[in-house]
Amino acid sequence: MASLSRALRGMAATCPRRSPAPGRGLRPLVSGAGPTSEKSVPYQRTLKEAQDASAAARGPSQPLPGTASVVVIGGGSLGCQTLYHLAKLGVSGAVLLERERLTSGTTWHTAGLLWQLRPSDVEVELLAHTRQVVSRELEEETGLHTGWIQNGGLFIASSRQRLDEYKRLMSLGKVYGIESHVLSPGETKALYPLMNVEDLYGTLYVPHDGTMDPAGTCTSLARAATARGAQVIENCPVTGIRVRTDDFGVQRVAAVETEHGSIQTPCVVNCAGVWARAVGRMAGVKVPLVAMRHAYIVTERIEGIQNMPNVRDHDASVYLRLQGDALSVGGYETNPIFWEEVSDDFAFGLFDLDWDVFTQHIEGAINRVPVLEKTGIKSTVCGPESFTPDHKPLMGEAPELRGFFLGCGFNSAGMMLGGGCGQQLAYWIVHGRPEKDMHGYDIRRFHRSLTDHGRWIRERSHEAYAKNYSVVFPHDEPLAGRNMRTGPLHEELLARGCVFQEQHGWERPGWFSAQGPAPVLPYDYCGAYGRRTHEDYTYGRLLGQEYTFSFPPHHDPPPHPNSGTFQIKKECLACRGAAAVFDMSYFGKFFLVGPDAGKAADWLFSADVSRPPGSTVYTCMLNHRGGTESDLTVSRLAPGPEASPLAPAFEGDGYYLAVGGAAAQHSWSHIRTVLQDRRFRCQLIDRSEDLGLVSVQGPASRAILQEVLEADLSDDAFPFSTHKLVRAAGHLVRAMRLSFVGELGWELHAPRPSCLPVYQALMTAGAKHGLVNAGYRAIDSLSIEKGSRHWHTDLRADDSPLEAGLAFTCKLKSSVPFLGREALEKQRAEGLRRRLVGFTMDEKVPMFGLEAIWRNGQVVGHVRRADFGFTINKTLAYGYIRDPSGGPVSLDFVKSGDYTLERMGVTYAAHAHLKSPFDPDNKRVKGVY
């Protein structure tokens, strides 16, 4: 039996190395070898043991029903968890179809690890539910053991930044009652005597982490689901999805077709793992994922390893999973092998391990646990897994087809996330929305132009895989899949030193560097597959300067004149003292017009938008639970018979919607769904690519714009929250008097060809007034100073406007019904169980979100969003707080507490604010300085 050291030295030499294939493209990524004969995996059993050779030939394991309320396709972790939770919600007639046997695709060979702490509050909650299901609920329900072993988890930090990241996780864990401890190298050695700790800064120990067995877990789930009336049918491949078009022109799921008959159903759940793209194609649904080979090896017996915790050495990109008296060793590499042609017949199979790819993990494992150098290799496990462009699962109802849900693309985390995601997906199917905010997993987070874009999916999925164990820094940006969607000012701003961020495929200004252009170059695949890494990459270097959990370099005076943070400070202070111009072209820009547009607007928007043409209203869109699906501005339009780039031709009511780019695709899908469900006769028209948006904000904005616009900008002629069609530098634009940053200012919505000349005229007029370019990093700082809400940070789909301090956006004083009204009225009558509160600190410390909030010595919440306010010279943070006793959170409760915020294990005194500490009387937006 080979040892790890021999594998490291010699096995690569005995295997043929891949050389780059001739020609263009990414052929070197592909292995010529297909699936191999089956190999053993390190579990006591797999579900294949119960199958004989003729099982598939005999057909389905039980007769197919003619109808089903829900059909789940795929019998892996997610399929079984979804079926189980559907049954728990009381759904009768749910059916799971598995083409072979349960777990036969990718679940059967998974490592089955569960780590409770991740840099996401939602994921921590999802993981907690999985742990509850597999460690307690299933065994209580079925009497079957899931294979849960609680041996703890140990995260390794071999750099100061990594240890800071772990301390952040520890502070977040306190909010959720997850026990964790930061250990010194000596304490780590005492806990894990076989570990090399000489190169460590410390570790994070989570004693209640553990592992689960795929076969045991899925068997228990199936048993519990069928006991509640669900059906599990194996050996039944799906061959098609039948679609119908209803009398409103909406496409809906009608049936699932198999070789053995059809099942009529209004709802299909695609839990097919690496086969999910193929299932999606059957229904005309785009599923943006790729299949890659993911591997680990299992060692021979190691004396003294018993009962040790599982280990994640992120800096070495390797994990060590306890396997009885042995270890499983795996990780994430920069040169994974793509599985290009996914075989329909693949089941309980593995690939030959490519030692050229895997050797790097052995090096890291031997460094961390030196005894592995002389330990034999018992078996190798290399199987397919599905990976997505942002390393997050794909969930929710597909925008192309009503009744078709996704539960796939789990990036080798399907076992640990399965319980929480299965629960949320089941709730989503039954109630139309999940209980928790699942936007980060919702398929609608991706713009529809990207979900079938092969290069973008491949590049982003590769980068997300390769960086899976990288430190998650607050201001990092992807290098893959860039320049997909660019605004009308992109080249102009790039020449002026713009450092771009990426949001949903859009390139949007982040900040402006004094060092000149910093273009984003084509993706270099981290130097893998024979490609050269970019040398002297300005954009990458600028990102790297901010890879810290402290203030970025040169934050404090005397600042380096070219530092990013100093430039952001200059942008912020220029906006407060003179004026700044922001390119916000990546906003979603929609028109809602038609016979029922007024009825649709009344129902969709929480605020009263039935005002005269020329008015603009800031509002929210809610779900039936009162949660906020989006915030946006709605401008009432006057009807007209002729179409123009700034408005379509329509009769009756019409509205122009401007939505933050991060919420644009989500908002578009939400509106379409509501229009379909309520059968409103109106059109939703997307003009996001055709229109640009330039905003000028600051005390000097009126003086600058008055030189460019052919309109009277006085308060009487152009009040706040109104809009007009005006000429700017000879071009027709829609001007809106609005502000997100708390200053006097206007937005100019212009046809794409007009944006550059209008922008250039603004810069010329603004030169004598101190006008500067500014980006979204400045918007983040300025808006948190003003207390403006950011959707999906301090305002999410499980946060109500009442909890978020946005009651003014809700027409509750009127009798007009709107989506979510009943939930808000109930919440108001019963009292708010949580409330969004702002905090400032006298001590100058950086915060980025996820910090724990303490009140009178008790944890009451965590920070959702934080940034530094350069005008008030303080760190600001916003988070929702609860009363530990479970009672309502009154204003007196907020005001009467003594607060501290915990950052990386250290607490800092904080002051609570219910109103913005900057310009609380809103004088500046009114032009009163």
Side-chain angles (χ1 to χ4, degrees):
M1 187 65 66
S3 69
L4 265 71
S5 60
R6 186 182 304 172
L8 185 60
R9 293 191 302 267
M11 293 190 76
T14 64
C15 299
R17 288 184 174 271
R18 288 183 186 81
S19 57
R24 296 177 298 172
L26 299 178
R27 295 183 182 275
L29 278 64
V30 187
S31 169
T36 69
S37 59
E38 299 150 19
K39 299 180 182 180
S40 61
V41 293
Y43 300 109
Q44 294 179 353
R45 64 191 180 90
T46 71
L47 294 181
K48 180 167 176 56
E49 293 174 0
Q51 181 186 30
D52 61 59
S54 62
R58 290 201 306 266
S61 59
Q62 57 180 293
L64 271 65
T67 61
S69 56
V70 182
V71 174
V72 179
I73 301 174
S77 171
L78 254 295
C80 291
Q81 288 278 13
T82 302
L83 187 74
Y84 167 70
H85 284 93
L86 283 168
K88 286 195 73 173
L89 286 176
V91 175
S92 60
V95 175
L96 184 150
L97 297 180
E98 164 55 45
R99 65 188 177 89
E100 229 265 5
R101 296 298 305 270
L102 295 184
T103 77
S104 64
T106 62
T107 297
W108 76 289
H109 59 70
T110 186
L113 291 155
L114 192 149
W115 317 95
Q116 295 179 90
L117 292 178
R118 309 254 293 208
S120 160
D121 56 336
V122 174
E123 289 191 357
V124 168
E125 295 174 11
L126 297 174
L127 292 165
H129 183 71
T130 299
R131 188 182 180 282
Q132 177 180 316
V133 169
V134 300
S135 67
R136 192 181 78 244
E137 286 185 7
L138 284 176
E139 190 164 358
E140 291 175 355
E141 286 191 45
T142 66
L144 300 177
H145 185 43
T146 62
W148 171 254
I149 299 173
Q150 183 179 295
N151 60 314
L154 193 63
F155 287 5
I156 307 301
S158 52
S159 70
R160 175 60 61 189
Q161 291 173 333
R162 183 70 73 178
L163 189 59
D164 287 346
E165 182 181 43
Y166 294 161
K167 289 177 180 178
R168 281 170 51 78
L169 295 181
M170 178 186 67
S171 292
L172 178 62
K174 292 177 183 179
V175 178
Y176 292 98
I178 298 173
E179 180 185 355
S180 65
H181 309 274
V182 173
L183 306 181
S184 67
E187 292 169 325
T188 303
K189 185 72 172 179
L191 175 66
Y192 203 121
L194 296 179
M195 182 171 290
N196 167 33
V197 299
E198 292 181 0
D199 58 345
L200 298 189
Y201 279 74
T203 57
L204 179 67
Y205 175 50
V206 187
H208 296 115
D209 286 352
T211 60
M212 65 198 95
D213 170 61
T217 299
C218 290
T219 298
S220 301
L221 289 165
R223 175 81 62 87
T226 54
R228 294 173 181 267
Q231 282 185 274
V232 175
I233 303 176
E234 298 175 291
N235 302 319
C236 188
V238 171
T239 58
I241 308 293
R242 198 182 309 155
V243 176
R244 68 179 178 88
T245 303
D246 68 16
D247 57 3
F248 202 63
V250 178
Q251 288 199 312
R252 299 181 182 273
V253 168
V256 173
E257 298 175 340
T258 78
E259 295 175 355
H260 309 283
S262 300
I263 302 175
Q264 307 294 318
T265 183
C267 181
V268 166
V269 191
N270 182 358
C271 297
V274 298
W275 293 269
R277 292 192 77 178
V279 173
R281 282 193 294 269
M282 295 177 188
V285 170
K286 304 171 187 176
V287 182
L289 57 77
V290 296
M292 297 184 196
R293 302 183 183 191
H294 193 54
Y296 60 88
I297 57 118
V298 184
T299 72
E300 294 284 3
R301 183 179 186 278
I302 301 172
E303 185 63 38
I305 205 69
Q306 295 85 347
N307 302 317
M308 291 295 101
N310 304 308
V311 174
R312 248 187 176 180
D313 190 341
H314 290 96
D315 293 317
S317 198
V318 68
Y319 69 80
L320 307 171
R321 179 204 193 272
L322 184 69
Q323 198 71 55
D325 58 2
L327 288 177
S328 298
V329 179
Y332 291 82
E333 56 281 344
T334 59
N335 56 338
I337 300 171
F338 288 79
W339 191 20
E340 300 287 5
E341 301 296 332
V342 177
S343 169
D344 291 340
D345 300 325
F346 186 94
F348 291 112
L350 297 170
F351 302 100
D352 285 326
L353 183 66
D354 188 307
W355 288 99
D356 287 349
V357 173
F358 194 80
T359 296
Q360 57 194 288
H361 303 314
I362 296 177
E363 294 172 341
I366 290 175
N367 175 65
R368 190 55 54 221
V369 182
V371 69
L372 290 174
E373 186 173 10
K374 299 180 180 179
T375 301
I377 299 172
K378 183 179 180 180
S379 63
T380 66
V381 179
C382 181
E385 295 278 3
S386 58
F387 295 91
T388 63
D390 58 0
H391 218 72
K392 302 290 184 186
L394 308 175
M395 294 179 63
E397 191 174 30
E400 303 98 324
L401 179 62
R402 300 301 303 275
F404 190 93
F405 287 79
L406 300 179
C408 52
F410 274 79
N411 305 281
S412 76
M415 288 299 297
M416 74 171 99
L417 287 171
C421 288
Q423 179 194 44
Q424 293 304 308
L425 189 52
Y427 195 94
W428 212 326
I429 292 164
V430 173
H431 297 289
R433 285 301 302 156
E435 281 187 293
K436 301 184 187 302
D437 175 71
M438 300 294 287
H439 175 69
Y441 290 5
D442 192 336
I443 181 62
R444 299 179 299 174
R445 69 190 183 271
F446 297 127
H447 190 264
R448 53 193 179 277
S449 67
L450 302 176
T451 51
D452 200 32
H453 194 292
R455 178 177 67 83
W456 181 80
I457 295 169
R458 190 183 193 92
E459 287 185 3
R460 289 292 291 269
S461 298
H462 173 272
E463 183 183 38
Y465 180 101
K467 292 181 66 173
N468 184 40
Y469 278 5
S470 297
V471 177
V472 180
F473 290 110
H475 300 299
D476 199 10
E477 293 289 330
L479 298 176
R482 297 295 296 268
N483 296 315
M484 300 297 297
R485 305 171 73 197
T486 57
L489 302 181
H490 183 267
E491 294 302 319
E492 175 77 11
L493 299 183
L494 182 64
R496 292 175 180 260
C498 182
V499 180
F500 284 92
Q501 300 175 329
E502 187 271 349
Q503 277 282 344
H504 301 273
W506 272 110
E507 297 293 319
R508 72 176 192 183
W511 54 279
F512 287 80
S513 169
Q515 300 178 45
V520 180
L521 302 179
Y523 185 50
D524 62 10
Y525 279 89
C526 307
Y529 317 121
R531 296 170 181 265
R532 283 191 172 187
T533 56
H534 297 306
E535 298 179 1
D536 192 25
Y537 190 4
T538 302
Y539 184 82
R541 176 171 49 79
L542 291 172
L543 289 184
Q545 289 176 359
E546 296 194 295
Y547 286 175
T548 177
F549 293 110
S550 300
F551 286 118
H554 317 300
H555 180 90
D556 293 308
H560 188 287
N562 292 333
S563 84
T565 304
F566 181 59
Q567 289 297 118
I568 296 165
K569 179 178 180 179
K570 285 174 61 178
E571 293 170 20
C572 291
L573 295 183
C575 183
R576 295 287 189 228
V581 58
F582 302 91
D583 175 17
M584 304 170 69
S585 296
Y586 100 117
F587 264 47
K589 303 170 227 40
F590 313 138
F591 291 96
L592 180 66
V593 297
D596 290 341
K599 295 178 182 178
D602 284 343
W603 181 253
L604 275 165
F605 306 126
S606 62
D608 181 9
V609 299
S610 60
R611 301 183 184 184
S615 62
T616 297
V617 178
Y618 172 68
T619 183
C620 296
M621 290 193 294
L622 310 181
N623 53 47
H624 73 279
R625 300 177 66 236
T628 309
E629 293 290 338
S630 177
D631 67 331
L632 66 161
T633 59
V634 178
S635 299
R636 184 77 179 271
L637 303 177
E642 295 185 9
S644 76
L646 292 169
F650 69 94
E651 296 180 358
D653 294 321
Y655 303 87
Y656 175 56
L657 319 180
V659 190
Q665 181 64 34
H666 179 89
S667 300
W668 169 267
S669 299
H670 174 74
I671 295 170
R672 286 188 68 220
T673 298
V674 172
L675 296 181
Q676 292 169 4
D677 290 345
R678 302 286 295 188
R679 303 177 76 82
F680 289 124
R681 295 170 301 145
C682 49
Q683 286 182 286
L684 182 65
I685 303 168
D686 188 354
R687 290 285 186 263
S688 302
E689 306 280 352
D690 304 324
L691 297 174
L693 197 173
V694 178
S695 179
V696 182
Q697 301 286 321
S701 60
R702 184 164 9 219
I704 296 168
L705 286 162
Q706 196 65 79
E707 296 185 30
V708 178
L709 302 185
E710 298 174 15
D712 182 355
L713 301 183
S714 65
D715 290 336
D716 291 336
F718 210 139
F720 182 75
S721 205
T722 62
H723 67 93
K724 293 182 180 181
L725 290 180
V726 301
R727 291 275 170 188
H731 296 262
L732 191 64
V733 305
R734 187 178 304 280
M736 297 184 185
R737 186 173 168 188
L738 295 170
S739 180
F740 189 66
V741 298
E743 297 294 334
L744 174 69
W746 279 261
E747 295 177 359
L748 305 182
H749 300 243
R752 191 179 182 97
S754 301
C755 290
L756 183 57
V758 169
Y759 166 80
Q760 291 172 335
L762 289 170
M763 296 306 292
T764 299
K768 61 179 176 289
H769 296 281
L771 179 67
V772 303
N773 284 298
Y776 274 83
R777 290 286 295 279
I779 289 177
D780 289 341
S781 172
L782 294 164
S783 63
I784 200 171
E785 273 188 331
K786 186 64 192 107
S788 301
R789 309 297 189 238
H790 274 204
W791 190 79
H792 201 239
T793 50
D794 37 25
L795 188 62
R796 304 195 305 205
D798 52 356
D799 304 321
S800 82
L802 305 186
E803 295 168 332
L806 297 177
F808 69 91
T809 67
C810 302
K811 49 182 178 267
L812 291 173
K813 293 181 180 179
S814 76
S815 60
V816 179
F818 62 90
L819 181 57
R821 177 173 185 138
E822 291 181 2
L824 295 188
E825 289 175 334
K826 183 174 185 289
Q827 191 176 68
R828 186 172 60 175
E830 296 178 351
L832 302 180
R833 289 300 190 269
R834 57 182 185 148
R835 195 181 289 268
L836 185 65
V837 178
F839 299 93
T840 57
M841 287 157 293
D842 293 330
E843 193 165 351
K844 194 174 181 180
V845 291
M847 292 192 178
F848 305 101
L850 304 183
E851 294 83 6
I853 303 171
W854 294 79
R855 178 186 181 275
N856 297 347
Q858 291 180 290
V859 178
V860 293
H862 69 277
V863 173
R864 286 276 193 89
R865 176 181 169 220
D867 212 321
F868 192 81
F870 292 101
T871 312
I872 66 172
N873 200 34
K874 293 178 184 290
T875 294
L876 298 100
Y878 280 84
Y880 289 84
I881 68 169
R882 297 178 180 271
D883 184 343
S885 70
V889 179
S890 65
L891 297 180
D892 287 341
F893 177 87
V894 176
K895 296 173 183 177
S896 62
D898 291 325
Y899 294 93
T900 58
L901 304 185
E902 180 180 328
R903 172 187 181 270
M904 298 191 298
V906 180
T907 57
Y908 299 88
H911 305 284
H913 302 274
L914 288 168
K915 294 183 70 174
S916 166
F918 173 79
D919 189 25
D921 297 325
N922 290 327
K923 292 181 178 180
R924 298 171 76 97
V925 297
K926 301 169 186 174
V928 179
Y929 285 93

